[in-house]
Amino acid sequence: FATLLYGGFGDNSTGNPVTLDCCDSQIFKQILNFVWEGEICFSDVDIQSLLDLLETARFLCFDRLVEGIEDHLEIILDKKIIEFKDCLLAFNFVNLNKFTKASSLLLSYIDQNLDNISALPELADLSETSIHNLLNFEERISSEIDLFTAFLNWIANKETVSEEVKTEMLGCFDLERFDRNDLVDKVRKSKMFEANQICDVLEKHMEKLQEEVKSKNKIVDETKSGIVVSNALVPPVFATKAWRLDQTHFVNKLEFTLDNSRYLYSYKVKAWDGMNWATIIECKEVEHTGKQVVHFERRKIETLHVTVTVTGSKKNDGPFLSYVLHPFSVSNFSASLI
């Protein structure tokens, strides 16, 4: 402090006050408490004061305090004890003042919760830099429609945005990642894209849908009979079932019921995210029937498809064991995010 007070800030006279324009008196009191005590309590500090303290700490070269504030920000984000509108305020601030770590933390949190944030009026206050960062986030997990909703909310009253910038922003969207219903109901009505672009993508969706129908019909044909060889059931695909969720969800847990204890099963669960099928669960030689609970990495799911194969019998029922005599089904299917 001696260097500061008698250096560039001071006028080399001991009687004159030194004016600090970097913060107000409340923030400076917290700085002095940190200097004196070596610690500071953030529990009663609102988000704006926290940001002002962050800026002042960096200005005064208190690196430990800057790190402590960023660590506190990470904690309140992890515990989800910060309001979404405050996240947007903070995101704008840290981008403006180039706090890289804090910006990364807030960007990830906003992306994870974009379905709840995209329609907030405060989102329209984001700077052009902030919306660019959101649109170009490489680790994005939010859906295309949530990001597009956020973009529409932001640009609604931005008359000063040039067509060049607008076109660049629209280039961040992949029309093929939109759900068919969203393309028709929201993207088309926004008039942000040419009609022929949307029609081309819808045509691709229809081609994929036709391929899925053909594939499912083939599986259904294969499940119509079992094959008996040497007193054992040599089954092809034994049962298959598909569930379409009411809308696209992020899911990391599935529950369903296998209700016939006579068999040993193998089952495979595939998920459709609106663009591609992916196998998310594959279990072999399942002896336990009843409720099945499976956890996996969080992913976006629109439709689930279950294929069950009989791999053997736990009971000696003779050569005529079949699903006609002993019905089998998959039921009580639910998907959730925990």
Side-chain angles (χ1 to χ4, degrees):
F1 269 101
T3 302
L4 290 174
L5 293 174
Y6 296 106
F9 283 127
D11 60 0
N12 296 323
S13 60
T14 59
N16 296 326
V18 176
T19 301
L20 293 177
D21 296 325
C22 61
C23 63
D24 60 26
S25 59
Q26 293 301 315
I27 296 298
F28 194 64
K29 283 180 181 178
Q30 291 179 308
I31 292 289
L32 291 177
N33 286 336
F34 176 73
V35 172
W36 183 256
E37 301 288 343
E39 60 183 30
I40 192 169
C41 179
F42 298 126
S43 59
D44 297 325
V45 179
D46 61 47
I47 190 66
Q48 186 59 63
S49 297
L50 188 69
L51 296 172
D52 292 340
L53 184 60
L54 176 65
E55 184 182 23
T56 303
R58 185 177 66 176
F59 178 78
L60 296 175
C61 299
F62 289 159
D63 294 339
R64 286 181 58 193
L65 182 54
V66 170
E67 292 172 3
I69 295 171
E70 291 178 332
D71 289 344
H72 173 69
L73 181 62
E74 185 172 8
I75 290 171
I76 63 177
L77 290 173
D78 286 342
K79 292 184 176 181
K80 299 181 179 180
I81 52 177
I82 181 172
E83 293 187 19
F84 293 142
K85 63 179 182 179
D86 288 338
C87 284
L88 295 172
L89 170 69
F91 187 50
N92 237 6
F93 182 92
V94 297
N95 284 325
L96 176 64
N97 293 282
K98 295 180 172 54
F99 287 98
T100 306
K101 179 181 178 180
S103 177
S104 178
L105 292 171
L106 287 160
L107 177 57
S108 179
Y109 185 78
I110 290 170
D111 175 64
Q112 292 172 26
N113 297 277
L114 196 57
D115 55 337
N116 295 314
I117 293 176
S118 59
L120 290 179
E122 288 81 6
L123 191 138
D125 296 328
L126 288 182
S127 66
E128 193 171 304
T129 298
S130 295
I131 200 68
H132 263 293
N133 290 346
L134 183 59
L135 293 174
N136 291 284
F137 185 34
E138 294 182 355
E139 300 175 14
R140 176 166 65 91
I141 61 173
S142 57
S143 69
E144 206 76 4
I145 190 59
D146 286 334
L147 184 62
F148 189 66
T149 300
F151 170 72
L152 291 180
N153 184 5
W154 179 82
I155 205 168
N157 297 309
K158 298 293 187 301
E159 296 179 358
T160 58
V161 175
S162 68
E163 285 299 316
E164 182 181 357
V165 171
K166 182 179 175 181
T167 301
E168 180 186 350
M169 290 181 175
L170 288 173
C172 298
F173 295 99
D174 183 353
L175 288 177
E176 294 188 16
R177 296 183 63 183
F178 284 95
D179 177 87
R180 293 183 297 275
N181 294 332
D182 291 331
L183 280 171
V184 174
D185 295 339
K186 193 145 194 172
V187 179
R188 181 181 62 85
K189 293 179 180 178
S190 73
K191 299 182 180 180
M192 290 291 176
F193 295 92
E194 296 293 335
N196 63 324
Q197 292 179 282
I198 298 173
C199 288
D200 289 344
V201 176
L202 286 173
E203 185 177 349
K204 291 181 181 180
H205 277 298
M206 290 302 298
E207 290 173 356
K208 289 182 180 180
L209 185 60
Q210 289 172 352
E211 291 175 3
E212 292 171 37
V213 171
K214 289 179 181 178
S215 177
K216 290 176 183 178
N217 286 340
K218 182 178 179 181
I219 293 175
V220 170
D221 290 338
E222 291 175 348
T223 63
K224 289 182 178 178
S225 62
I227 304 171
V228 178
V229 178
S230 302
N231 293 337
L233 181 66
V234 181
V237 175
F238 185 81
T240 181
K241 204 164 188 178
W243 285 266
R244 181 178 175 85
L245 307 184
D246 58 336
Q247 58 180 331
T248 301
H249 291 277
F250 283 97
V251 174
N252 63 1
K253 175 185 175 185
L254 297 178
E255 298 181 28
F256 57 92
T257 301
L258 300 176
D259 66 354
N260 195 319
S261 61
R262 293 177 180 271
Y263 306 135
L264 298 175
Y265 302 107
S266 293
Y267 59 81
K268 182 185 293 185
V269 181
K270 292 185 176 182
W272 172 257
D273 62 3
M275 291 184 61
N276 300 294
W277 284 102
T279 299
I280 58 174
I281 302 169
E282 188 167 8
C283 294
K284 298 181 178 180
E285 299 293 338
V286 179
E287 296 187 16
H288 170 68
T289 53
K291 187 175 184 180
Q292 310 289 311
V293 181
V294 186
H295 299 268
F296 52 91
E297 186 177 352
R298 181 178 185 265
R299 65 186 306 123
K300 184 172 70 172
I301 293 178
E302 177 182 307
T303 302
L304 291 161
H305 184 273
V306 182
T307 301
V308 183
T309 304
V310 177
T311 56
S313 174
K314 292 194 288 186
K315 297 186 178 181
N316 185 17
D317 288 334
F320 299 104
L321 173 64
S322 72
Y323 62 87
V324 176
L325 296 176
H326 304 297
F328 162 78
S329 68
V330 184
S331 60
N332 301 325
F333 205 97
S334 68
S336 59
L337 176 63
I338 59 172

